[in-house]
Amino acid sequence: MAPSGPGSVRRRCRRVLYWIPVVFISLLLGWSYYAYAIQLCIVSMENIGEQVVCLIAYHLLFAMFVWSYWKTIFTLPMNPSKEFHLSYAEKELLEREPRGEAHQEVLRRAAKDLPIYTRTMSGAIRYCDRCQLIKPDRCHHCSVCDKCILKMDHHCPWVNNCVGFSNYKFFLLFLAYSLLYCLFIAATDLQYFIKFWTNGLPDTQAKFHIMFLFFAAAMFSVSLSSLFGYHCWLVSKNKSTLEAFRSPVFRHGTDKNGFSLGFSKNMRQVFGDEKKYWLLPVFSSLGDGCSFPTCLVNQDPEQPSTPAGPNSTSKNPENHPFPAKPLRESQSHLLTDSQSWTESSTNLGKGKAGMSNPALTMENET
């Protein structure tokens, strides 16, 4: 049995404290249900038709809110697959050899077949010393979870979870349904809130629930609308919160729109190809989170051109738009379903596009 030291006790205490925001939201949601469904609809509303319509609409929004919130909380963040982890022999080499060419050679061999194109600010390969793996594109190490998270957006205390590739769609739906939930409550509660101030309500405990319910719904509507609008903008630009604050770095340098494929394809990358699932908190995002198509990355002149494919031209190899490393099939079809990669490169970049495997150097990044 593992010893229980001071460090272990502190970690357990932190885990408990991390759930406080979730408990707060759950209690607030429970009170709002009582205040709206019981005190407002059943006790205060006199019109039966109004009661029925409000209760049906309310329970529909309530169910979608709770469902998406639950999925955001309890969907485990995805971590890099085994191919990005260093082998035991490679780990030994990194520990035994002095930093320099030996380390670079180990990383070159480990990364030569991986679909990675982003680099650190200094142009080095993105390597996590703590997890001992080569970071896939858009992957970052979360200090709270102590893991590398695929397409990490941020660690959200209100869901006590990392928001990343596996649950970003659920997080967006959680914001959308919580905003609709608050707007619906504020709109239907408004007339009774006015009656409260004009002494039009009977002097019961319901009037206080109605007053605080409107204040809470209006206040959360303002904050949620700004947050939801910001994340809608991020989706339209195919950015994460981290990438919005620090643009991804490719071989040719920083490119803030490096992963953007256009509004429609950016939306499909998050919500999937089947629109019937877009409004449901079920996983439908494209890809595996380890590789992402890009259209705006310049060809690396230091690397040999990729062998010509059926859509390429052998007369002009330096403008070849194909990446040196293959994209996952579920992601690469975003580039090929409506036009060839060459056409996409011409229309979106109107210049050289594509990607290759840059000369790899090592830089520890945690």
Side-chain angles (χ1 to χ4, degrees):
M1 185 175 179
S4 179
S8 177
V9 174
R10 282 195 298 268
R11 283 193 297 271
R12 291 175 183 174
C13 291
R14 281 199 299 267
R15 290 195 190 103
V16 173
L17 292 176
Y18 288 154
W19 283 103
I20 291 178
V22 177
V23 173
F24 172 75
I25 293 295
S26 300
L27 292 175
L28 188 62
L29 189 60
W31 167 78
S32 70
Y33 182 90
Y34 170 76
Y36 188 89
I38 306 299
Q39 295 295 334
L40 178 61
C41 290
I42 296 178
V43 175
S44 301
M45 289 184 181
E46 298 178 354
N47 188 300
I48 301 298
E50 184 183 8
Q51 283 184 340
V52 172
V53 171
C54 287
L55 284 173
I56 291 176
Y58 172 80
H59 281 90
L60 178 62
L61 289 174
F62 181 83
M64 297 305 295
F65 179 11
V66 172
W67 186 10
S68 57
Y69 189 46
W70 177 276
K71 293 285 286 186
T72 307
I73 295 172
F74 294 105
T75 298
L76 295 177
M78 288 182 64
N79 311 119
S81 55
K82 291 183 179 180
E83 61 184 323
F84 290 90
H85 289 258
L86 298 184
S87 66
Y88 180 76
E90 290 166 342
K91 291 178 184 178
E92 279 195 328
L93 283 175
L94 289 177
E95 293 174 359
R96 185 170 64 247
E97 299 293 335
R99 295 187 181 277
E101 185 60 31
H103 285 74
Q104 296 175 25
E105 185 60 31
V106 170
L107 294 178
R108 287 193 188 99
R109 288 197 302 266
K112 67 178 182 178
D113 294 322
L114 298 177
I116 54 172
Y117 310 104
T118 54
R119 298 292 176 261
T120 64
M121 294 299 293
S122 62
I125 187 172
R126 300 195 322 129
Y127 175 74
C128 180
D129 189 42
R130 192 169 182 85
C131 297
Q132 294 186 309
L133 56 81
I134 295 171
K135 292 182 180 180
D137 292 345
R138 316 184 82 173
C139 174
H140 297 274
H141 187 90
C142 176
S143 59
V144 179
C145 300
D146 197 24
K147 294 178 182 177
C148 282
I149 308 298
L150 294 180
K151 197 187 175 185
M152 180 178 172
D153 188 87
H154 68 289
H155 187 95
C156 181
W158 297 106
V159 299
N160 189 28
N161 199 2
C162 254
V163 177
F165 175 76
S166 61
N167 63 350
Y168 187 61
K169 177 192 172 184
F170 307 149
F171 178 74
L172 284 173
L173 292 178
F174 158 60
L175 292 180
Y177 287 123
S178 59
L179 176 59
L180 289 175
Y181 180 80
C182 291
L183 289 174
F184 176 80
I185 289 177
T188 54
D189 188 28
L190 178 59
Q191 61 173 313
Y192 298 94
F193 177 75
I194 295 174
K195 288 181 180 180
F196 171 83
W197 292 104
T198 57
N199 297 319
L201 289 178
D203 191 15
T204 62
Q205 64 171 348
K207 63 187 305 183
F208 297 102
H209 286 288
I210 290 171
M211 181 186 68
F212 288 115
L213 185 64
F214 180 83
F215 275 128
M219 179 183 65
F220 279 104
S221 295
V222 173
S223 58
L224 285 169
S225 60
S226 60
L227 184 59
F228 178 64
Y230 175 68
H231 278 278
C232 286
W233 177 80
L234 289 178
V235 172
S236 70
K237 298 295 183 181
N238 206 334
K239 295 181 180 181
S240 66
T241 299
L242 293 176
E243 290 165 353
F245 282 96
R246 187 175 65 180
S247 299
V249 180
F250 297 89
R251 181 63 178 88
H252 72 287
T254 301
D255 195 335
K256 64 179 181 179
N257 295 315
F259 291 108
S260 181
L261 307 174
F263 178 79
S264 176
K265 292 179 180 180
N266 292 343
M267 288 284 292
R268 287 162 51 198
Q269 195 172 94
V270 174
F271 291 96
D273 288 327
E274 299 187 63
K275 293 183 179 180
K276 62 184 179 181
Y277 296 123
W278 281 17
L279 300 181
L280 298 177
V282 295
F283 185 81
S284 58
S285 302
L286 299 181
D288 59 2
C290 291
S291 65
F292 297 89
T294 67
C295 291
L296 305 177
V297 184
N298 293 330
Q299 181 79 13
D300 182 5
E302 298 178 6
Q303 295 296 319
S305 299
T306 311
N311 294 328
S312 65
T313 171
S314 59
K315 294 182 181 179
N316 200 7
E318 67 272 15
N319 290 329
H320 196 290
F322 291 91
K325 298 287 186 278
L327 293 168
R328 304 297 199 263
E329 182 180 355
S330 57
Q331 288 285 6
S332 64
H333 89 274
L334 284 171
L335 296 177
T336 59
D337 57 356
S338 61
Q339 56 188 350
S340 68
W341 287 9
T342 305
E343 292 170 344
S344 177
S345 173
T346 302
N347 294 335
L348 292 175
K350 294 191 176 181
K352 294 182 180 179
M355 57 184 82
S356 59
N357 194 28
L360 303 181
T361 58
M362 176 181 178
E363 179 175 293
N364 288 333
E365 181 183 69
T366 56

